[in-house]
Amino acid sequence: MGTWVVIGIVVLIVLWLVLTYNGLVTARNRTQEAWSEIDVELKRRHDLIPNLVNAVKGYMGFEQKVLTDVTNARAAAVSAGSQGPAQQAAAENALTGTLRSLFAVVENYPELKANQNVLELQEQLTTTENQISFSRQHYNATVLDYNTNIQTFPSVLIAGVLGFTKRDFFDAEPEAEAVPNVDLSLS
């Protein structure tokens, strides 16, 4: 009879370990999938920016510093992609700031504000910014669940031993959360 109790306890412990491990793997995979969603949107944003810069370049010959700043910030954001969420967020925040500068300068050029190509690129960029915001919210929610899962009892007993580590949030500065809003109409 005592042997069956020991076997029963061992089976329960093994079952708990398997279920806990599988739950941690599932949470980690959801976090990675959510990061992939952000990455796709950021790549789309990075692809739109050179088109926008080229569309406005002819009109803004003497505003070269603004265009150079946008190009440099885009390059920094692209290279930060492999450095993790914290570095990526900082680079993307800098890029958002330079885009705001560009759109502020565009306001000074009536013929540029009327350019259909610029209007379409602005709309695509605004849509992409919204998608980045939604993806960031989803990613941060999955990171919160994952981090909570690996830091709470009883999962904490095995999470560290099995290589589950805390993930960083993709934080945006408060001003970076607002989508650049530029009125490019003829009015």
Side-chain angles (χ1 to χ4, degrees):
M1 177 87 170
T3 306
W4 289 109
V5 171
V6 171
I7 291 174
I9 291 172
V10 169
V11 166
L12 287 176
I13 290 172
V14 169
L15 184 62
W16 171 79
L17 286 171
V18 168
L19 291 175
T20 301
Y21 177 79
N22 288 344
L24 292 172
V25 168
T26 300
R28 180 177 60 198
N29 289 344
R30 283 190 182 131
T31 301
Q32 290 169 336
E33 184 268 336
W35 178 253
S36 294
E37 289 177 23
I38 289 177
D39 198 39
V40 165
E41 295 303 328
L42 291 176
K43 284 180 179 154
R44 182 169 191 269
R45 178 189 199 200
H46 298 158
D47 290 345
L48 285 170
I49 290 170
N51 295 333
L52 182 62
V53 168
N54 287 332
V56 301
K57 193 179 282 185
Y59 293 94
M60 298 174 51
F62 65 92
E63 302 280 2
Q64 193 61 37
K65 181 181 178 338
V66 174
L67 298 176
T68 302
D69 289 347
V70 170
T71 303
N72 291 341
R74 178 196 174 270
V78 169
S79 67
S82 62
Q83 299 173 6
Q87 293 82 2
Q88 181 84 38
E92 293 299 331
N93 290 338
L95 178 57
T96 298
T98 61
L99 285 173
R100 284 196 185 117
S101 298
L102 174 63
F103 291 134
V105 171
V106 165
E107 287 291 312
N108 297 327
Y109 295 87
E111 67 278 4
L112 186 55
K113 288 170 38 174
N115 183 298
Q116 189 61 37
N117 192 25
V118 173
L119 289 170
E120 287 177 24
L121 288 168
Q122 165 64 24
E123 181 60 35
Q124 289 178 21
L125 191 58
T126 299
T127 300
T128 301
E129 295 289 340
N130 287 333
Q131 290 299 324
I132 290 169
S133 178
F134 294 134
S135 296
R136 186 178 63 240
Q137 290 172 358
H138 175 65
Y139 172 76
N140 285 340
T142 60
V143 167
L144 176 64
D145 290 343
Y146 172 78
N147 287 345
T148 301
N149 205 2
I150 66 169
Q151 294 172 347
T152 56
F153 187 80
S155 300
V156 72
L157 298 174
I158 65 167
V161 173
L162 297 176
F164 293 92
T165 58
K166 185 176 183 245
R167 298 288 173 107
D168 291 330
F169 291 100
F170 190 87
D171 292 324
E173 296 174 11
E175 59 268 27
E177 291 178 4
V179 175
N181 186 17
V182 177
D183 180 13
L184 295 176
S185 64
L186 291 172
S187 55

